[in-house]
Amino acid sequence: MSVEPTPSPAVDAHRRLQARGPHIAMFGLLAVLWALILIFAVVQEQRMVEGAQKQLRLINNVVSQHTRSLLRGIETDLALLDHWVQTHPQTDPLQDADLAGLVNQLVQGSDGLVSYGFANDAGQALAFPGAPAWQRGMAAVGWPAVAGEMATGVPTRDTAGQAWHWPVTRKLDRPSGELAGAVAWIDLTRLGALHETLREKPAGGISLTTSDGVVIVRTPFVEGLIGRNVSKNRPPPMQPPGLQQGVFQHDGTLTGGHPRLASFERLGRYRVTVLVSQEVDEALAAFRMRRNVGMAVLGLITLSAAGFSVALTRSQRATRRSQAELAAVSDAFPLGLFRTDITGATTYANDAYFQKFGLPRERMAWGWSEILEKDQQTGALQAWKTAAAEGHAVKSVLNIRRPDGREAVMSIRTAPLRVDGQLIGQVGSLDDITERIQQQKAQRMLTSIFEKSTDVVAQVNPDGKLLYLNPAGRAMLALGPDDSLDALHYDDFLPAHRETQVRDQILPTAISRGIWVGETSVLAAGGREIAVSEMLIVHRNDAQQVETFSVVMRDITQELRARTELQRSESILNIVAATLPALVAVIDHQERYLFSNDAYARWTGRATGQLVGLTVREALGENLYAQREGHIKAALAGQRAMFESEREGAQFQETTYIPFRNADGQVAGFVALSQDITSHKRQQQKLLDASQTDPLTGTLNRAGFDLRMREALANARREHHLLALLCIDLDAFKPVNDEHGHAAGDRLLEAVAQRLQQALRPSDILARLGGDEFAVVLPDIKNEPSAQTVARKIVSALAAPFEIDGKRLYIGGSVGVALAHGEQETVQTLMQRADAALYQAKRAGRGRFEMASAQL
């Protein structure tokens, strides 16, 4: 009997360390994984919060831009209403149908989001034609401190349960009767519906508040929050003066008590704050679920590792026993053969194994796991180790990427290797099935295409017997998925008039060329004939004999109808375009005409059809082309261009260049559309003249005088001419008004204007500044005596009696004359000097003129 020597303590310690090493490594890895997942939970949660805040900021930007644009549009509309009232002083705005029509247009322009009306000085809504009844029941609105400016109010409604409205007001520059200002009421129900499309679902919220903290609108709606002042509950970032915009987190006291992330932005002079929020729990719900699942999985892995550690300990005792050598391994075997130990590490492999994996021998143990596709690495390796340790047979398919970069699919089969009933590893075989998998995949894809195609796909033998019909074909013939094709023949579905075409044309062409493609017709279920686009493909065997035919057909009935309709539409379009009074032309990216209607051809001086093929430069000439070249280049760059031009004879055109693109999205050219807007221009000029003319005397009013005065002064500076300004005041006009009435006074003012006009040159400018004050501009005079001569004529003309309603009236007039001196002279300084001279004339006894000094 032999006795083995007792190992030394150092050797024993080394063995224990060797045995415990895998356990130490495993639990060390688990400790690292726990540390990583905990760190990830903290860091990723913060990142998710930051991401949610960025998303809220983006939504906030959209809502802020929409709100700012809405308020700007309302500001413009209120200014328009103010302007209308100021320019129609002779009418009662509240009874004027034209004003009601304008208000209706503004309401329609906002798609019903905004309603417009008027209110008195106390802020109570006033009735006018077309005004909705609910406006009269609304609470009084507040006015801005300064007339002509806009103010936003707090939300209001006529009665409880009715819709909330948000008033925006503008106080008129000059009130008209009872009317003190214009009001726009924003429908908060519609505004909330717009916000509903933008907010984060399901727990996101969008609010508008005043700068004082009053809630204007909140989406989704929270009962009792609209109109409530929440300034005391605002977080520090939103407390005044605060930041103009920012993000923060709050406790959600006003909206259910759930902590929320929020983004806000103040809209400056509109005194409105946009607030977008989302529940923190909702923003982090998905992350927290993944975190909890990850920790649960890691916990299970930890428990599994503990169990595996126990099993590994027992396995290590068994593996220290002698292992039987794997027998009869032939390196000449075409399959890759290998053997593993109980841990799954490869301990032996033949040459075919290394050739198929493309691995060097030094990477034998675990090299195969390192070249797996990433999505298989963890699961396949763990399954492999478990099978090796527990003695399970393996049947698996692995996707790998060889070290040379080529991808491959490997089939692996193993069986447990036992010696004396003890598991010592696995033996297995490896086969490269890449080509086989690709063939199967291609076959499945082709079958899937046929099965899902809306085209009819069929296969017939040379005798015409139907071998295969896809679901689309079965549906066309009203066959069920399981109905037999044995009794069906290709000729059964040919209309009688098509049989000759198939026999004499289609089949011979397909057999000679291998394929036939064209349009024909077949019989569907019930004998209904349908038009189809057909492709007939011939398949031959190795002896070049026809083996089968493949038939692909597509129903083109609708397509043929569409072609006919398209041709009809094109014909109608050509007729309409050719007869339109507008100028229409189509120009390609090389600036050549593709089409023009009759009106456009006549405009260029050519006959219809002569423009096609010409360039724009050739058709328009160098001068006109140079004027339009910039607009043409812009249209060919994809930008819509619109401009106005004046033709001979005071004719005006409005031209629009509209780009169009080809199927690839590239600009293929543009459509030129020109319309005569002469009448529109003339109407504009009439309106402009009316706004600058005194309705009583027909002379210029103050606005017209200011404009013509500035133009005359600028021209005098440019041409170095002398300019004179005469301020005229009637001396005894007020007694005429008091004694004979305002009607007589108006007729007297008309007579004064006519007499002054007779005393002036056609180039001189006459204006009534208001009341009995007139002004004359002499834009081009030789010297000071010339101005005195005109002033003397005016005094003399006003001294003569006036015959008004059978009465002879004497009024007289005083004149102050100022000459423009130096390049620094302005309209204001010239008026001040002329007024000062007029004052001197009145103090000197009236009925005379005085010259102003060079300085005030």
Side-chain angles (χ1 to χ4, degrees):
M1 181 178 67
S2 63
V3 179
E4 295 184 0
T6 303
S8 66
V11 173
D12 187 54
H14 177 71
R15 289 178 178 175
R16 287 197 302 272
L17 182 61
Q18 248 186 343
R20 296 173 182 173
H23 305 279
I24 295 173
M26 181 185 304
F27 286 107
L29 178 61
L30 287 173
V32 171
L33 288 176
W34 274 108
L36 288 176
I37 198 170
L38 293 175
I39 293 172
F40 171 80
V42 174
V43 173
Q44 187 64 16
E45 180 168 336
Q46 182 60 33
R47 289 180 178 175
M48 292 293 290
V49 169
E50 292 172 357
Q53 289 175 334
K54 289 180 180 178
Q55 180 66 19
L56 292 178
R57 182 68 248 167
L58 291 174
I59 298 174
N60 195 304
N61 287 340
V62 173
V63 178
S64 297
Q65 289 295 331
H66 175 268
T67 306
R68 190 179 285 108
S69 298
L70 175 62
L71 293 176
R72 284 175 180 168
I74 291 174
E75 187 172 14
T76 301
D77 293 345
L78 293 179
L80 178 61
L81 294 176
D82 189 354
H83 176 74
W84 195 98
V85 174
Q86 305 310 321
T87 55
H88 295 73
Q90 69 279 11
T91 62
D92 181 0
L94 297 178
Q95 301 300 323
D96 194 286
D98 290 339
L99 178 57
L102 175 58
V103 170
N104 186 51
Q105 290 179 4
L106 296 180
V107 173
Q108 292 178 355
S110 70
D111 292 332
L113 178 60
V114 184
S115 299
Y116 293 88
F118 302 93
N120 58 22
D121 193 54
Q124 294 291 341
L126 300 173
F128 69 95
W134 58 261
Q135 286 188 6
R136 296 298 302 271
M138 300 298 282
V141 300
W143 298 115
V146 179
E149 292 188 356
M150 188 184 83
T152 55
V154 296
T156 183
R157 55 183 175 180
D158 52 353
T159 58
Q162 298 299 318
W164 286 94
H165 288 80
W166 178 24
V168 181
T169 61
R170 175 189 174 104
K171 194 170 186 179
L172 299 182
D173 288 330
R174 292 194 300 274
S176 177
E178 188 181 3
L179 193 153
V183 185
W185 283 278
I186 301 173
D187 189 331
L188 293 183
T189 301
R190 290 176 177 263
L191 185 60
L194 291 177
H195 290 175
E196 178 64 24
T197 64
L198 298 174
R199 73 181 184 92
E200 286 284 347
K201 307 293 191 305
I206 299 175
S207 303
L208 299 183
T209 67
T210 67
S211 59
D212 299 328
V214 177
V215 177
I216 299 170
V217 64
R218 204 276 183 180
T219 305
F221 179 77
V222 176
E223 185 66 35
L225 196 57
I226 306 301
R228 178 179 171 185
N229 192 317
V230 296
S231 57
K232 293 182 179 180
N233 296 311
R234 287 191 171 186
M238 292 188 65
Q239 295 292 348
L243 301 173
Q244 290 304 309
Q245 62 180 18
V247 294
F248 58 89
Q249 184 171 339
H250 67 93
D251 58 7
T253 303
L254 299 175
T255 53
H258 299 288
R260 303 180 72 85
L261 300 173
S263 170
F264 74 92
E265 180 176 346
R266 293 186 172 92
L267 303 186
R269 65 191 184 90
Y270 295 119
R271 300 178 62 79
V272 175
T273 300
V274 178
L275 179 66
V276 180
S277 65
Q278 183 185 17
E279 287 187 6
V280 175
D281 291 342
E282 181 65 27
L284 299 180
F287 162 73
R288 288 174 176 172
M289 183 183 70
R290 292 195 299 270
R291 180 197 63 190
N292 294 339
V293 169
M295 294 181 72
V297 170
L298 188 55
L300 291 175
I301 292 174
T302 303
L303 292 175
S304 299
F308 181 74
S309 178
V310 173
L312 182 60
T313 300
R314 294 174 180 174
S315 176
Q316 285 175 336
R317 295 192 187 100
T319 57
R320 285 194 291 268
R321 300 176 183 178
S322 59
Q323 298 181 354
E325 292 290 331
L326 184 62
V329 177
S330 174
D331 287 338
F333 202 75
L335 296 179
L337 301 177
F338 62 92
R339 184 179 69 238
T340 73
D341 61 18
I342 200 168
T343 67
T346 302
T347 59
Y348 167 81
N350 67 350
D351 291 340
Y353 175 92
F354 294 105
Q355 291 171 1
K356 293 181 184 297
F357 272 139
L359 292 171
R361 288 188 175 273
E362 55 267 23
R363 295 176 62 183
M364 178 176 63
W366 297 103
W368 63 273
S369 66
E370 298 167 2
I371 59 175
L372 289 176
E373 291 292 346
K374 291 185 177 180
D375 59 346
Q376 280 192 320
Q377 284 181 354
T378 303
L381 186 59
Q382 185 63 42
W384 182 262
K385 289 181 178 181
T386 302
E390 298 179 0
H392 300 314
V394 174
K395 294 181 181 180
S396 180
V397 175
L398 301 178
N399 297 311
I400 67 168
R401 183 181 293 273
R402 294 188 179 99
D404 60 7
R406 291 185 300 163
E407 295 180 353
V409 181
M410 298 294 173
S411 173
I412 295 180
R413 288 173 172 264
T414 70
L417 177 62
R418 301 178 187 273
V419 176
D420 297 331
Q422 295 293 321
L423 179 67
I424 63 171
Q426 298 268 354
V427 293
S429 64
L430 171 72
D431 190 16
D432 187 344
I433 60 171
T434 306
E435 185 175 352
R436 190 191 315 163
I437 291 295
Q438 290 174 346
Q439 291 174 350
Q440 293 174 351
K441 183 177 180 181
Q443 182 66 32
R444 287 195 301 272
M445 290 179 60
L446 189 60
T447 302
S448 177
I449 291 173
F450 289 165
E451 293 297 306
K452 295 180 180 178
S453 175
T454 56
D455 294 342
V456 175
V457 180
Q459 195 169 53
V460 299
N461 67 13
D463 296 330
K465 185 178 183 302
L466 212 57
L467 303 176
Y468 168 79
L469 190 63
N470 73 339
R474 289 177 176 271
M476 184 185 75
L477 301 178
L479 295 177
D482 300 324
D483 290 347
S484 174
L485 304 178
D486 292 341
L488 298 179
H489 194 276
Y490 179 71
D491 293 345
D492 297 338
F493 310 106
L494 293 179
H497 64 92
R498 291 292 187 187
E499 292 179 357
T500 302
Q501 179 193 22
V502 172
R503 183 183 64 250
D504 298 340
Q505 177 186 350
I506 297 178
L507 278 177
T509 301
I511 292 173
S512 65
R513 299 180 182 178
I515 188 172
W516 178 87
V517 178
E519 293 183 358
T520 182
S521 62
V522 296
L523 296 177
R528 178 172 55 93
E529 184 176 355
I530 60 173
V532 295
S533 172
E534 182 175 350
M535 178 168 60
L536 182 65
I537 304 172
V538 178
H539 304 285
R540 299 178 184 272
N541 57 22
D542 294 339
Q544 295 302 303
Q545 296 175 331
V546 176
E547 195 171 42
T548 56
F549 293 95
S550 290
V551 182
V552 181
M553 292 185 293
R554 174 175 296 173
D555 186 344
I556 59 171
T557 305
Q558 296 298 327
E559 182 180 339
L560 291 178
R561 291 177 184 171
R563 287 183 199 169
T564 304
E565 183 63 24
L566 178 60
Q567 292 172 354
R568 188 176 72 85
S569 299
E570 288 179 348
S571 299
I572 294 173
L573 182 60
N574 286 333
I575 293 172
V576 171
T579 56
L580 275 176
L583 311 183
V584 182
V586 181
I587 299 157
D588 67 14
H589 68 283
Q590 295 180 337
E591 300 185 17
R592 293 188 179 276
Y593 286 94
L594 300 176
F595 169 82
S596 72
N597 68 349
D598 295 346
Y600 193 97
R602 288 195 300 272
W603 177 69
T604 62
R606 288 177 169 80
T608 302
Q610 289 184 349
L611 280 178
V612 176
L614 292 180
T615 65
V616 179
R617 187 190 298 270
E618 292 169 344
L620 300 186
E622 292 294 338
N623 291 338
L624 188 53
Y625 178 80
Q627 297 173 16
R628 302 187 175 209
E629 184 176 11
H631 302 299
I632 292 173
K633 300 302 182 188
L636 292 178
Q639 302 173 14
R640 186 186 182 103
M642 180 180 290
F643 58 91
E644 294 181 2
S645 57
E646 184 176 359
R647 300 172 60 190
E648 296 180 1
Q651 297 294 310
F652 294 89
Q653 276 186 345
E654 180 183 76
T655 300
T656 305
Y657 290 163
I658 307 168
F660 63 87
R661 301 176 183 271
N662 57 25
D664 297 330
Q666 303 296 318
V667 176
F670 62 92
V671 177
L673 177 65
S674 299
Q675 301 182 73
D676 190 331
I677 59 170
T678 304
S679 60
H680 177 67
K681 280 288 186 181
R682 289 175 179 169
Q683 185 63 27
Q684 280 186 334
Q685 188 60 45
K686 287 181 181 179
L687 293 174
L688 180 60
D689 291 342
S691 68
Q692 297 177 356
T693 303
D694 177 39
L696 177 62
T697 62
T699 64
L700 294 176
N701 61 13
R702 185 58 181 258
F705 172 76
D706 288 344
L707 177 62
R708 294 288 300 279
M709 180 65 182
R710 286 194 296 271
E711 293 175 351
L713 188 57
N715 187 60
R717 291 173 183 159
R718 185 170 55 254
E719 302 295 336
H720 304 290
H721 292 161
L722 186 62
L723 177 143
L725 171 63
L726 286 68
C727 286
I728 305 166
D729 188 78
L730 304 183
D731 292 336
F733 177 74
K734 187 175 184 303
V736 172
N737 258 352
D738 295 343
E739 183 177 350
H740 301 288
H742 289 288
D746 288 346
R747 287 190 285 276
L748 177 59
L749 289 174
E750 293 180 76
V752 168
Q754 294 173 2
R755 192 171 292 183
L756 289 176
Q757 195 70 62
Q758 293 169 359
L760 300 174
R761 301 172 298 178
S763 60
D764 296 336
I765 300 169
L766 173 63
R768 179 189 173 205
L769 302 183
D772 59 349
E773 296 179 8
F774 292 82
V776 172
V777 179
L778 308 178
D780 182 10
I781 59 173
K782 295 180 180 180
N783 48 37
E784 182 175 325
S786 297
Q788 293 176 347
T789 298
V790 176
R792 193 175 292 110
K793 287 174 63 177
I794 290 175
V795 171
S796 175
L798 296 177
F802 290 86
E803 294 291 337
I804 304 298
D805 297 337
K807 302 180 181 62
R808 178 168 290 187
L809 304 176
Y810 294 86
I811 55 173
S814 301
V815 180
V817 184
L819 301 179
H821 291 285
E823 294 294 327
Q824 303 304 317
E825 190 77 76
T826 65
V827 175
Q828 183 179 5
T829 58
L830 200 59
M831 283 291 295
Q832 290 175 346
R833 291 173 50 231
D835 280 340
L838 174 62
Y839 180 69
Q840 291 177 1
K842 284 188 171 291
R843 291 188 61 187
R846 304 175 184 268
R848 55 183 292 133
F849 72 88
E850 290 290 341
M851 298 297 298
S853 60
Q855 302 294 333
L856 287 175

